[in-house]
């Protein structure tokens, strides 16, 4: 199976600070890949680099057949890659309806933008009730749903989701994961999800990367890492005392 | 009472000019975080484009002689081209630069335009008679209203309504509002950054061209620094109204127009020379009470 996304030996620097070093990963068509790591590990930087928001200092990123290093985010988005960034970044002064339509403007002139819009509202009935609300007034969970729906409106082949569970109640997070996996089933969407904790993602992901200190510490199939032991030591950088059981990973 | 109403009409008319100028500045600030001091010079260009380029003191009309339906689009086109050129040549290479850098670059653009105008048209102010018919007065009851002031108000309202419609109802308008709120996120969703910024420059050019025509008709004179006070007062209007809020820019524009006119009318004559000092003192007062301006741009409250 050909890789949809290949990240090869990527380094990212912010001034003197090296945020990512020697990061390589690949994502195959239809996979759910999760990147887990503590706060500040470089997870968001990695997704931003893939989406064109940050230009790597070194390394190659290929999406499909295209080398996306140095390409502007709007051009990457038009290749079929969409990022739901950390903190959701809803346009708070725009209505829910306008937020959604922004995502569809890439496909202006195509009738299916309208069809996408309707189909997504089927998936997110909460949003339909609030179409003419300023999006800034939605609850955190609704905003996260809107952020996902808005990204899907661009018709991505690859959806990058940065910490979808951040600041949300577990019940809401479950809903959001359900929808993400549903989208994958229905639309053949490939997913890369950043998370700080692994307990939920182990159930859903096909493969897992652990990122700490800007480096990939561990890579493996979720099924092989299910006991969590290897993840714990990669995540913390040392063998895991029993007391850490159930804390972070 | 009549005198007050008369002053109020003057105030609203001046406020309209400031509001239109402030809208142009506010629009670019919203999207680019650029405080464009060259906006006043776009106005200057639009005004000088009306006459034959020469250093003579009496100006001969060139484009200004054409019928209104030809002249207006032509002046708009010229100013829009200048605005777009300043984006492509100066501001686009500085896309990643900080806000103060952009502002200083706009000073440079401003000086270049002023000196360019001076080279082609000479440094002395020129008298120009664009549309003398507009100064006929209309009697409304006991009020004498110069027709031009009504025209200024109507044009301002029409342009504001058109801009509102554009921003609310069209795909590009929605993309511009999104980009103004969160530029990076908008590009992640495929909104073309340079296109949206170019659109903002073009619209601010059209607004500047409108001010060129209205202001030149009213003042009857041209000078290569004529745009400066307009840009300065409009900038103050943007700050008073609330940076980043277009409604604020309009409110601020009218507020400044009213304050300046009323000070001019009601200050004791020996203090009138210090009118602007009083006006700016008032601005400071407003900012002390409402640091974010009269209409702060972040009206939404965040929820987690």
């Amino acid at each position: 199976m050909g890789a949809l996304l290949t990240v090869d030996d990527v380094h990212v620097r912010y001034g003197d600070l090296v945020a990512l070093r020697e990061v390589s990963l690949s994502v195959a068509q239809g996979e759910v890949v999760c990147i887990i790591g503590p706060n500040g590990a470089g997870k968001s930087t990695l997704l931003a680099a893939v989406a064109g928001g940050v230009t790597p200092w070194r390394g190659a990123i290929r999406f499909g057949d295209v080398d996306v290093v140095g390409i502007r985010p709007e051009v990457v988005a038009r290749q079929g890659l969409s990022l739901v960034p950390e903190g959701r970044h809803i346009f708070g002064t725009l209505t829910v309806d306008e937020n959604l339509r922004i995502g569809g403007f890439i496909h202006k002139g195509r009738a299916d933008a309208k069809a996408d819009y309707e189909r997504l509202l089927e998936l997110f009935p909460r949003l339909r009730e609030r179409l003419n609300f300023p999006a800034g007034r939605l609850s955190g969970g609704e905003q996260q749903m809107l952020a996902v729906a808005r990204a899907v409106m661009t018709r991505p082949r690859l959806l990058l989701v940065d910490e979808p569970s951040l600041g949300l109640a577990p019940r809401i997070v479950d809903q959001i994961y359900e929808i993400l996996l549903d989208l994958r089933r229905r639309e053949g969407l490939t997913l890369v999800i950043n998370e700080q904790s692994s307990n939920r993602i182990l159930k859903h992901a096909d493969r897992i990367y652990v990122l700490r200190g800007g480096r990939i510490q561990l890579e493996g199939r979720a099924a092989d890492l299910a006991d969590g032991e290897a993840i714990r030591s990669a995540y913390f950088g040392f063998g895991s005392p029993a007391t850490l059981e159930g804390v972070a990973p | 009472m009549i005198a007050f109403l008369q002053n109020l009409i003057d105030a609203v008319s001046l406020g309209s000019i400031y509001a239109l100028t402030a809208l142009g500045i506010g629009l670019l600030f919203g999207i680019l975080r650029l405080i464009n001091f060259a906006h006043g010079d776009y106005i200057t260009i639009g005004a000088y484009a009306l006459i034959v380029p020469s250093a003579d003191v009496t100006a001969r009309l060139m484009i200004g002689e054409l019928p209104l339906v030809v002249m207006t689009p032509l002046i708009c086109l010229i100013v829009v081209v200048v605005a777009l050129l300043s984006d492509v040549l100066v501001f686009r290479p500085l896309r990643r630069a900080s806000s103060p850098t952009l502002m200083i670059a706009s000073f440079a653009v401003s000086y270049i335009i002023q000196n360019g105008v001076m080279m082609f048209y000479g440094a002395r102010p020129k008298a120009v008679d664009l549309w003398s018919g507009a100064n006929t007065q209309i009697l409304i009851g006991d009020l004498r209203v110069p027709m031009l002031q009504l025209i200024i108000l109507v044009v301002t309202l029409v342009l504001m309504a058109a801009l509102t419609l554009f921003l609310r109802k069209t795909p590009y308008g929605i993309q511009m509002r999104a980009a103004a709120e969160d530029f990076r996120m908008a590009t992640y969703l495929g909104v073309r950054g340079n296109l949206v910024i170019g659109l903002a420059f073009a619209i601010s050019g059209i607004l500047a061209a409108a001010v060129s025509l209205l202001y030149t008709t009213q003042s009857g004179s041209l000078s290569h620094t004529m745009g400066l006070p307009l840009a300065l007062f409009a900038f103050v209007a943007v700050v008073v109204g609330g940076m980043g809020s277009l409604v604020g820019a309009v409110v601020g524009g009218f507020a400044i127009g009213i304050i300046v006119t009323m000070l001019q009318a009601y200050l004791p004559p020996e203090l009138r020379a210090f009118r602007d000092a009083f006006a700016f003192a008032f601005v400071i007062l407003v900012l002390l009470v409402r640091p974010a301006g009269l209409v702060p741009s972040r009206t939404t409250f965040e929820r987690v």
Side-chain angles (χ1 to χ4, degrees):
Chain A
M1 192 155 35
L4 181 61
L5 175 73
T6 320
V7 175
D8 187 22
D9 192 32
V10 160
H11 294 58
V12 172
R13 301 204 301 193
Y14 298 118
D16 286 339
L17 182 86
V18 181
L20 291 179
R21 52 186 101 212
E22 296 169 23
V23 170
S24 297
L25 59 83
S26 74
V27 179
Q29 177 75 45
E31 260 192 321
V32 178
V33 169
C34 188
I35 299 164
I36 62 174
N39 208 359
K43 304 188 297 295
S44 297
T45 301
L46 177 55
L47 295 196
V50 171
V54 172
T55 306
W57 165 57
R58 229 176 79 186
I61 301 173
R62 292 187 70 78
F63 174 60
D65 307 323
V66 187
D67 183 356
V68 294
V69 169
I71 291 183
R72 287 199 301 276
E74 61 260 44
V75 182
V76 178
R78 280 157 202 272
Q79 298 290 327
L81 187 153
S82 202
L83 168 67
V84 181
E86 184 183 346
R88 309 182 274 271
H89 290 256
I90 288 299
F91 303 115
T93 57
L94 273 61
T95 64
V96 170
D97 166 70
E98 288 168 335
N99 268 279
L100 278 174
R101 280 162 58 203
I102 291 265
F105 285 148
I106 289 184
H107 308 295
K108 186 169 40 121
R110 276 172 47 177
D112 40 8
K114 186 71 193 155
D116 286 348
Y117 182 90
E118 284 302 323
R119 195 169 39 84
L120 280 165
L121 289 182
E122 297 292 316
L123 273 174
F124 297 96
R126 297 281 292 167
L127 297 182
R128 188 192 288 280
E129 292 164 23
R130 302 186 187 306
L131 278 180
N132 294 316
F133 263 53
R137 289 214 222 138
L138 298 181
S139 71
E142 289 164 343
Q143 288 191 4
Q144 185 67 64
M145 290 177 189
L146 177 57
V148 170
R150 184 179 63 176
V152 175
M153 278 295 289
T154 68
R155 296 213 140 200
R157 288 180 285 159
L158 174 62
L159 185 64
L160 313 174
V161 192
D162 199 352
E163 300 212 27
S165 61
L166 195 74
L168 299 181
R171 188 175 48 84
I172 308 284
V173 180
D174 284 335
Q175 272 179 31
I176 285 166
Y177 268 96
E178 220 167 88
I179 286 166
L180 285 173
L181 295 166
D182 192 36
L183 282 167
R184 176 217 192 180
R185 259 194 313 278
R186 291 193 196 194
E187 334 233 328
L189 205 58
T190 307
L191 287 169
V192 174
I193 305 173
N194 274 357
E195 278 294 358
Q196 284 201 34
S197 102
S198 69
N199 42 24
R200 179 173 281 103
I201 205 66
L202 272 170
K203 281 194 303 230
H204 303 307
D206 297 316
R207 282 189 307 119
I208 286 175
Y209 290 87
V210 178
L211 192 65
R212 176 170 50 80
R215 285 177 195 275
I216 301 278
Q217 308 286 344
L218 176 74
E219 171 201 347
R221 300 190 56 79
D224 303 336
L225 301 169
D227 70 345
E229 197 53 46
I231 293 180
R232 256 193 296 279
S233 61
Y235 191 104
F236 291 109
F238 48 77
S240 66
T243 48
L244 286 173
E245 193 74 47
V247 180
Chain B
M1 186 60 192
I2 287 295
F4 175 75
L5 284 180
Q6 206 86 54
N7 286 327
L8 192 66
I9 291 169
D10 285 348
V12 168
S13 147
L14 183 64
S16 300
I17 298 275
Y18 288 152
L20 282 182
T21 314
L23 260 183
I25 292 176
L27 198 64
L28 278 182
F29 179 81
I31 291 183
L32 264 187
R33 297 291 174 264
L34 157 67
I35 296 166
N36 188 15
F37 274 100
H39 190 83
D41 305 285
Y42 299 165
I43 295 172
T44 310
I45 294 246
Y48 271 90
L50 291 164
I51 61 166
V52 178
S54 85
D56 298 345
V57 178
T58 36
R60 273 184 305 128
L61 290 176
M62 189 171 64
I63 295 179
E65 225 165 29
L66 301 169
L68 199 64
V69 285
V70 185
M71 173 181 76
T72 311
L74 214 53
I75 294 294
C76 284
L77 182 71
I78 290 169
V79 181
V80 165
V81 166
V82 170
L84 287 176
L85 275 179
S86 63
D87 177 36
V88 171
L89 298 178
V90 179
F91 298 113
R92 191 172 291 187
L94 293 173
R95 234 16 138 225
R96 281 157 193 258
S98 66
S99 217
T101 309
L102 288 173
M103 188 176 76
I104 289 165
S106 86
F107 279 123
V109 173
S110 167
Y111 276 107
I112 289 168
I113 293 178
Q114 281 172 39
N115 283 289
V117 168
M118 204 156 65
M119 267 168 60
F120 286 104
Y121 296 89
R124 293 173 64 184
K126 293 169 195 283
V128 58
D129 180 13
L130 185 56
W131 183 17
S132 41
N135 286 319
T136 15
Q137 303 209 325
I138 301 172
L139 275 176
I140 305 176
D142 289 336
L143 275 180
R144 284 171 189 285
V145 186
M147 192 168 69
L148 180 61
Q149 296 197 332
L150 290 181
I151 292 171
I152 289 176
L153 184 62
V154 169
V155 169
T156 303
L157 293 178
V158 167
L159 283 175
M160 285 183 336
L163 182 62
T164 308
L165 271 181
F166 171 77
L167 289 174
R168 300 248 153 233
K169 297 293 174 201
T170 68
Y172 284 116
I174 295 172
Q175 290 180 58
M176 276 179 75
R177 281 160 56 218
E181 188 172 330
D182 190 336
F183 191 85
R184 171 48 57 80
M185 188 62 230
T187 61
Y188 278 145
L189 292 166
V191 172
R192 292 181 203 269
N194 282 335
L195 182 75
V196 170
I197 291 170
L199 260 176
F201 270 100
I203 293 172
S204 105
I206 290 172
L207 293 169
V211 174
S212 300
L213 295 175
L214 298 172
Y215 189 70
T216 309
T217 307
Q218 190 172 46
S219 71
S221 71
L222 301 176
S223 115
H224 67 285
T225 53
M226 64 185 277
L228 280 187
L230 286 173
L232 182 64
F233 277 99
F235 169 64
V236 172
V238 169
V239 173
V240 168
M243 298 290 275
S245 153
L246 293 185
V247 178
V250 170
V251 170
F254 280 108
I256 297 289
I258 289 169
I259 290 163
V260 169
T261 311
M262 292 302 170
L263 284 173
Q264 180 71 31
Y266 294 111
L267 272 181
E270 61 273 20
L271 285 180
R272 260 176 218 166
F274 306 106
R275 180 196 71 187
D276 290 355
F278 282 98
F280 286 119
F282 179 81
V283 166
I284 293 172
L285 208 67
V286 168
L287 291 180
L288 282 175
V289 181
R290 294 183 70 100
L294 296 169
V295 188
S297 67
R298 286 270 158 197
T299 43
T300 53
F301 40 96
E302 307 273 322
R303 278 168 64 174
V304 179

